[in-house]
Every structure is written in structure tokens, then in C-alpha cells.
Amino acid sequence: MEYLAELPDIQFVDVIEALGTVAFAISGIRLASAKRFDWFGAVIVGFVTAIGGGTMRDVLLDVTPFWMQSSLYIWCTLFAFLIVAFFRRLLVHLDNTIFWFDCIGLGLFVVVGYEKTMMLGYPMWVCVFMAMITGIVGGIVRDMLINEIPIIFTQELYAVACIIGGIIFGILIYFGVGLVLTEVITAVSVVIIRILATKFGWKLPNLKDD
Amino acid sequence: MEYLAELPDIQFVDVIEALGTVAFAISGIRLASAKRFDWFGAVIVGFVTAIGGGTMRDVLLDVTPFWMQSSLYIWCTLFAFLIVAFFRRLLVHLDNTIFWFDCIGLGLFVVVGYEKTMMLGYPMWVCVFMAMITGIVGGIVRDMLINEIPIIFTQELYAVACIIGGIIFGILIYFGVGLVLTEVITAVSVVIIRILATKFGWKLPNLKDD
Amino acid sequence: MEYLAELPDIQFVDVIEALGTVAFAISGIRLASAKRFDWFGAVIVGFVTAIGGGTMRDVLLDVTPFWMQSSLYIWCTLFAFLIVAFFRRLLVHLDNTIFWFDCIGLGLFVVVGYEKTMMLGYPMWVCVFMAMITGIVGGIVRDMLINEIPIIFTQELYAVACIIGGIIFGILIYFGVGLVLTEVITAVSVVIIRILATKFGWKLPNLKDD
């Protein structure tokens, strides 16, 4: 059974997904705490940051939101809260590590978003769109909850990485590349684009009237 | 038929639910009016405050949103609008009464949220989560619409009351307590926690850096 | 086959829908650009403005969101972006034209929202509500994304036009008027109400305390 043969990969993916969830949750918890949200508020913002994108994807696809089928995501969020609570000062020195988790998490979110949509039979452009939604909506809702303009709309080359990742996934599948290899190449591409964009300060221009 | 025998309780619950809806809607209408929203804007914010939590719950559970099956909630909102419009000055003296309705409404929203999720076969932690969502999301969306940071994230011990209420519901059902008794104990617990928290100014700490 | 006989109308409606989508997207793209959103951010805000209302309607009705079934709406949004990018200065002189498209788009959104809900067997008041949601939610989410209080809650007689349009649709159908005629009368009514309201500065009062 091919499906069983792939189980080890799925379990490796689970670890990555948990790390990505923790990284996303940490970003929400830190930003909420900076706005003096209480413990509960910080945990909720962290949770929404981590699961918001996948939840919107699942609602649009009309399937049960993924986090309602496993309590993993709530535990990851609580774990992220403990990290922020106890190692706050240390976290400043770990910014690089967290950024890495965040990038890897994003790469994985794109893969999961594309694949889940593809499995439901949607055409490629919907899959790319859902890959992007999975990657960016959590951060958008986070910024709306803390009453800021979503940072991905003005600062970071974040969504473009998701879109390019999604397109790569679609092209590889179209040319018959195997699923696991496609997943790895896609995720790595997203990570590389995001790291390069951050390192070199790549940004999209805006349409400002001047 | 046991179901029929419970009908009187259901009708009593309907009255409580209507009162809770009116109380939630009043809070939305007053806050929106303070920001100079027009009549329509105030009614919409009031409506969203009252039905937002249950709507998100029903969308996540993939069932028809409750307020699309009965116009009761729209009438309650319009009634709340008339109260605010005609008795605005009087309402200041009624703050205590409205607070009571709000507490009772919250208690009931928790019960309804838990029960509806349980009936669909979800495990306890999803039920507790949905009980909380039913109780808090309306107020969160209200505050987002009036462009403020959601008050429940910084000020009030609101969501914790929902969570404790949900846990109590789950424990009582687990130990075989009857449904009606479980409902009453849960709702009363939520009301008591919320009242005590307000009276004694209980708050959760935050993770502020300093 | 009566259905086939109506095809030409459907295609005419498609053109109107595309124009309305472009007009809604332009409003989102311009407001986002004024807040220095980058290209991507502006496109997303434009897209959400155009499809937000219909998406919320479809999620509440538990049907597949309309824009996931045709890439038309994404192309319309990209087209709107090109218009804003290349003809920005010109657009100021075209405000009247864009306002017309926006009004016609709103009229059509109300018709589509009512009809889709009616086809699913909901009572009239749900249809009117969904017609309103189709018309207003895109603009509300647009304003939340750019961190402003939704303008339709304080300034414009926008939602009232949707509600009146929805009621007109319901009454005409009730009295046996044909579907196409009902659609036309409803859309024209919404357009006229919106234009008159803008021309004469009609506004709803608010409940301000003073």
C-alpha cells in the first residue's frame, strides 16, 4: 500500500507543522503582549495567528477545520505561551531561530494548503490561492486583533513567496514529479524566497500618489 | 416522550436567550452610537455583537447559522435599538440590570455552545472551545468594527468564565448528571464567576516587558 | 427550454457583474494605496472588497464561494489594479464613471444575493438579509483591513439601498412578476436610491449623546 509507505513522511511533516505552529503562535503572543493583552488574550491571538489561515481555507473548502480534529494546535499554542512567558529576554537572542521556524512553517503551510485543495479536485489557480490564504491569513487577523494595519500589506515579501511556492507545486505536479519531492521542493523554495527577501530587504513598490 | 417533557424548559431557555440577545445587542448599539455610527450602523453592530459568536461556532461546525432559522434575533436587536433610542438617559441607571442580562446571556450562550457541539459528536475540548467562541466572538467583532482593541483581551475576566463553564458542563455530563441540571449549574456558574470577577476587579496578568 | 431562453440575460448579467467587480476592486485598491499598501496588499484589499460580501453570503448559505468557481473575479481585480496603476491621475476625472459602475455593481450584487438565497428555499427576510450582506460586507472588510471605521456605518446611505432593493425583489416575486423583470426593477431601484442619496446627501441620523 503506497499510502502506508508514505506514513513516515507524514510523521516528519507533523513535527515540522508543530514547529511552524509554535513559531506562528510566538509571533502572535509577543505582539499581543506588547499591546498589554492579558494572558488569555495573548494565547488567543497566538492561536489565531497559527490556525487562522488554515481555518479560512477549510471554511472556504467546506471541510472541518483541521484544528478541530486534533488538539495538537492548542498544545503548541500553550507551549509557545510558556516559552514567551519564561524565556522572554532570551527570545531576543533567539530571533534568528524563531525566524527560521517561521519560514519553515510558512513553507509547510503552503504545501498543506495546496495539497488539501488539490485533493478536493479544484483547478490549479484555486490551489495557489488557498496555499496563499493558508500562509497569510493568520498574520492578517493577528494584526487586525491588535488594531494595526496588517504588516504583510506594507512591509514584507511574504505572500509573494506563498504564491510562487504554490505555482512551483502546481508546475511540478503537472510534469509528473512525485508528491513527496514536490512537497520538499515547494517548501524549500518558499523558505529560500522568504530568507532572501528578508536578507536583501526586497519589497514590492506601492501606488502612492506623489 | 422525554423530549416533549423537556419542552417547557426549552421555552424558558428561549426567554433567557432573548434577554441575553437584547443585552448583548444593547452593548453593541451603545458603543457604536458613542462612535457616531448612524442608526443602521448601530443596529448592525448590535446584531453582530449578539449573533457573532454563535455564527462563528455554526460556521466552524458546518451547520446553518442559528439566526437564519428564526427571525427572533433580528427582532431582539431592533427592540434593543428602540430601548437605547428612547431610554438612553434612563439606561445609565439601568446599567446594573443590563449587566445582569448580559451575565445571564453569557451563561446561556456557553450552555448552547457546548450542547450544540456535543450533539454533533465532538470531543470535550472542542465543546469547551465552542462554548468559549459562542460567548466571546460577538464582543471581539464588535470592538473590531468600532476600531478598538477587543476589551476582553485586556480588561475583563470574560473568556475564562466561559472556559470554566464549559469544563463544568463537560464534567457533569461525564459523571452522568442530567442534561437540564447540567445546563442550570453551568449557566449559574458562569454568571457567578463573571459577577465576582467584576465585583472584585479580578483580572489576568499580562506579559508586558519591563 | 425556458432556461436556455434566458441564457442571453445571464450573459448580459455577467458583463454587469464584471463591471461591478472592477468598480468595487478599484475602490479597495485606491484606499489601500493611499495607506501605502504595496502592490500585493492593494490587490488583496481590492479583491476582498469585490468578493467579500458574496463570500460571506456563500459561507453562511453553506455553498461553494462563487469566486472559487470562475477565475473571472481575480482577472477583474488585476484589471482594476492596472487601471489604478496606469491611469491614476486620470481616475480623478473618472470618479463619476466609477461611481456609476459602483452603483450598478451594487444593484446587481443585491439581485444575485437575493436570488441565490431564494433558490435555496429560505424565507424572504433571510433573502433580504443576504442581499444586504452581498452588497455591504466587502466594503466593511476593506475598511477593517485599512484600519478605519467602516464608512457605511457613519456616512453613506448604502445598506438601506440594499435592504429596500431586497424588499422590492421579494414583493415583486410574491405578486408573480417574472424573474427577469424583477431583477431589472430591483437593480434599477438600488441604483436610483444610491444616486439620489449621494446627490442630496441623504444620511441616517445617529444616537449621539448630547
Side-chain angles (χ1 to χ4, degrees), chain B residues 184-205:
Chain B
V184 172
I185 294 175
T186 300
V188 170
S189 305
V190 173
V191 172
I192 290 174
I193 295 168
R194 177 127 166 69
I195 286 172
L196 289 179
T198 304
K199 188 177 172 75
F200 295 108
W202 291 343
K203 284 187 191 184
L204 287 176

Side-chain angles (χ1 to χ4, degrees), chain B residues 56-70:
Chain B
M56 173 156 285
R57 176 200 64 216
D58 289 345
V59 167
L60 291 173
L61 295 176
D62 202 18
V63 298
T64 302
F66 66 103
W67 56 268
M68 286 166 59
Q69 297 171 315
S70 154

Side-chain angles (χ1 to χ4, degrees), chain C residues 40-62:
Chain C
F40 168 79
V43 168
I44 290 293
V45 174
F47 187 67
V48 168
T49 308
I51 59 100
T55 304
M56 173 155 285
R57 174 201 64 215
D58 289 346
V59 166
L60 292 173
L61 294 177
D62 203 18

